[in-house]
Amino acid sequence: MATGADVGRTARAAFSGLIAVPRAKLSPRVAARGTLAVALPLLIGAISGDVLPAVAATLGAYFTGFADLTGPYRRRLRLGFALALCGALSVLLGALANPYAVVAVLLVALWGFLAGLLTSLGPSGTRVGITGLIVLIVIGEQPQELSQALVAAAAVFVGAALQTLLAIAPWPVRGYAPERTAVAAAYRELTDVDPGGGGPAYPVVLEAHAALRGLDPQRHRAVAGLRMLLDEVERARGEVVALAVLRARLADLDEAAAADEVGAVIDAAAAVGATIAERLTSGPDDLHPDLVSALDEALAKAVAAVRARRDAPGRAPLTRRGAAARSAALAGQLRAARRIVEATDPQQATSPAQATDPGPGHSPATDSPTTANYPDHTPPHHDAPVFLMPADEPLTVLRANLRPSSEAFRHALRLAFTLAVVATALVALGLPRGYWLLLTVAVAIRPDFSATVKQVVDRVAGTLLGMLVVSALLEWVVSDTWQKMALVPVFYFLLRTVLAANFALGAAAMAGNAVLIADLLGASAGQLIPERLTYTVAAGVIALAAYLAWPTWERSTARETLADAIESARGYLRTAADPDASDTDVDAARTTARVALSNARDSAKRLADEPGTPPALVDLANGVSVHASRLVQGGMALEAARDMYPEGLSRPEARTFAAHVDTALAAIAGALRTGRRPKALPTLRADVDDLIAVAPSARLATFATAADRLTDGIGTLNHLLRQDARGASEASSD
């Protein structure tokens, strides 16, 4: 049950975001491009005198600009086309249904349901759904003849298409620049690792996979090179994770000098990764060759120091040998990545085979120190396909969410029902320009409570500020039509610049523009301003009431989300420890685990902001998400063992440990779902001792080290769940 203090905490968190403006999220370049698409139709309308089609085209460009058409150009084109089609269809259907009140209400409810369900597809699906709903409410509900509706729909499509064309305009010149930028980000964050498992989930790799999705490496040399580079950075990331764990272990065993040398390898690898990222995002002459040579030399010296100490006396000979092998492998992978970058011309479109051959005597496989030290090791194929989303997955996701247990389905029903009630009330009361109330309700209701509260607070505060500014401008500065038209792109530029950084300021610019556009369409600004303020506050109250009447509390689904993260990590570990699994299988399992881990972290954050959530559940969610991250990092260390000597994973000791880990994680996932005490887990510590005993002869040093870390993580998860079950038992007895 939510208390007043809980609701107050959520409200304070929402109000704290009103003044925060992270500079990194400001986007003036994107805003300038979108502003041009908004301004052009108005300029043409001002010259020709046809204001209404010009405003419709402007609105098409306006709402499409909210979609943040950035990233790969193919994705921008698909999203822009979907928005243009959805906007035009919304205008046409809204105009046709407008004379029939019952049909109009049902249409708004249906569109609201679709918009809510599309949230299951992520940000892009949410943008398409909300944009269609907004256009339906703003333009489609205006009384129009069929001929006028067709003109308005065409104008909206043209405006959206213009926004999209400007977003993809650099495509012929920049080619695969967005994809290269996405892969470069993975190299920049190569060594961003927390050996304790609490670090980031490395989402840049997921973004890089998404950027390359759908591109054919068999047709374009640049795409083949980028896929190989993504494969290399994932393998290198596994080595870095393993080295971070080994470094921490050396420090625990009082081998400070050895730990510092491993740290020097990681630091040198970070510098080389940064140069690879710069090379991907800049011209070939932008990096001084002396700098590149110096960084390569620094990495080589750091690796040599670690290798020189591997057989020195001390408490951790096995750990030092593992660090030497991992350091050599990491250096080889970064050298291979450098050669792939240098051999791949983004402007060429030739066979990918050319991209895999940097030249005579420069094969990454033959130069790799991993191969040199372990002649029986076969490097993985670089041209193995990465995990790609099937073309029909959006439909599969939507079908999977068409059930009452789905959060997206419940959100869709809540949104549709609320819009239907509000639309019915507007028809019955005959309120002037009631579409603003309907519009604000549509955008204020979000899938979770904390986001809904923040949206309401930002919307009300922003609308108040925007109305004050635009009323002052209309009273003392602006009077002519052309001046109002000129202000629309100015407000839009401000909106798109700050929207991602501070929604309240974005809402202020949006509210000001709404008054200006309505004034251009013939409404009186003097009547609009108090009317809009009243409607905005009322919409906020309605949105909160609708959510509280039928809440989708995160605490009702958090355990399932956390269990899914453990199950996904379990599948990844099982695949990584299987010597017969292909590289494609491991890639797919790793990607699935990362997505599930990201979902678990998002769930933990929403829990913390949600009123009425038991503190023990918040602590459990945070703890499970952290230690699930340790499991994923352990899987990456297992991948390093696969690359080093996959045959070692067939040893009975390795198979026994892998089977026991699988059993233990299945029990932990089951306990998470039920809230009960976990079943007795297998004796993983004894399995680790067996692995350590045979590691020198079976060449399982890396596997044994990863197993030790995994055992600690699983033991901590077991402890957390036992505490959770004990707390639940005490609460029920009270």
Side-chain angles (χ1 to χ4, degrees), residues 703-729:
F703 190 100
T705 304
D708 184 54
R709 182 65 62 169
L710 285 170
T711 299
D712 289 342
I714 291 172
T716 305
L717 284 169
N718 186 43
H719 173 70
L720 288 173
L721 289 173
R722 287 176 179 272
Q723 281 188 322
D724 176 56
R726 187 182 305 116
S729 176

Side-chain angles (χ1 to χ4, degrees), residues 67-406:
D68 191 20
L69 298 175
T70 56
Y73 295 115
R74 284 177 174 79
R75 189 165 65 196
R76 300 185 195 185
L77 180 60
R78 288 194 297 268
L79 179 57
F81 178 76
L83 289 166
L85 191 62
C86 186
L89 185 62
S90 297
V91 171
L92 191 58
L93 290 178
L96 292 175
N98 185 267
Y100 312 100
V102 175
V103 177
V105 169
L106 291 176
L107 181 62
V108 167
L110 175 61
W111 226 242
F113 179 82
L114 291 175
L117 194 63
L118 284 170
T119 60
S120 63
L121 298 180
S124 294
T126 301
R127 289 164 186 153
V128 172
I130 288 294
T131 299
L133 185 57
I134 290 173
V135 174
L136 174 71
I137 293 171
V138 174
I139 303 179
E141 291 209 338
Q142 304 299 320
Q144 301 177 75
E145 299 291 337
L146 178 59
S147 59
Q148 293 176 313
L150 290 171
V151 171
V156 166
F157 186 90
V158 168
L162 176 61
Q163 186 74 268
T164 304
L165 287 175
L166 289 175
I168 65 173
W171 195 352
V173 178
R174 299 189 67 202
Y176 297 105
E179 290 84 355
R180 291 166 71 86
T181 300
V183 176
Y187 277 91
R188 285 196 181 91
E189 297 188 19
L190 170 64
T191 59
D192 190 5
V193 172
D194 179 356
Y202 208 35
V204 287
V205 166
L206 295 178
E207 294 168 7
H209 276 301
L212 294 177
R213 184 177 298 142
L215 297 178
D216 185 3
Q218 304 303 321
R219 296 180 58 189
H220 302 283
R221 180 182 182 183
V223 174
L226 290 172
R227 286 204 186 281
M228 288 187 291
L229 284 168
L230 187 53
D231 179 52
E232 287 291 352
V233 77
E234 292 231 61
R235 293 178 59 219
R237 173 75 170 189
E239 306 293 357
V240 171
V241 169
L243 283 171
V245 173
L246 292 168
R247 177 188 183 184
R249 187 170 181 81
L250 287 168
D252 292 342
L253 295 173
D254 295 325
E255 294 217 13
D260 290 342
E261 288 167 352
V262 173
V265 171
I266 296 175
D267 292 340
V272 173
T275 64
I276 293 172
E278 288 299 318
R279 179 63 179 80
L280 277 168
T281 55
S282 60
D285 300 326
D286 289 351
L287 289 175
H288 197 283
D290 291 344
L291 172 63
V292 176
S293 300
L295 292 175
D296 286 345
E297 184 178 349
L299 178 59
K301 286 182 178 179
V303 172
V306 173
R307 296 180 71 182
R309 191 183 288 275
R310 63 182 173 186
D311 295 321
R315 296 179 58 188
L318 201 63
T319 303
R320 279 185 274 108
R321 289 171 191 165
R326 301 271 55 81
S327 298
L330 176 61
Q333 284 150 6
L334 290 177
R335 279 201 298 273
R338 280 276 310 283
R339 288 176 180 133
I340 293 169
V341 171
E342 292 164 1
T344 304
D345 184 348
Q347 303 303 327
Q348 296 186 26
T350 54
S351 168
Q354 293 173 301
T356 64
D357 182 13
H362 292 287
S363 169
T366 58
D367 285 349
S368 171
T370 307
T371 307
N373 291 325
Y374 302 94
D376 57 347
H377 166 62
T378 302
H381 296 294
H382 293 302
D383 58 352
V386 298
F387 174 70
L388 299 175
M389 181 183 288
D392 64 342
E393 181 156 334
L395 293 177
T396 303
V397 171
L398 290 176
R399 284 197 297 268
N401 279 277
L402 283 173
R403 61 180 191 274
S405 60
S406 164

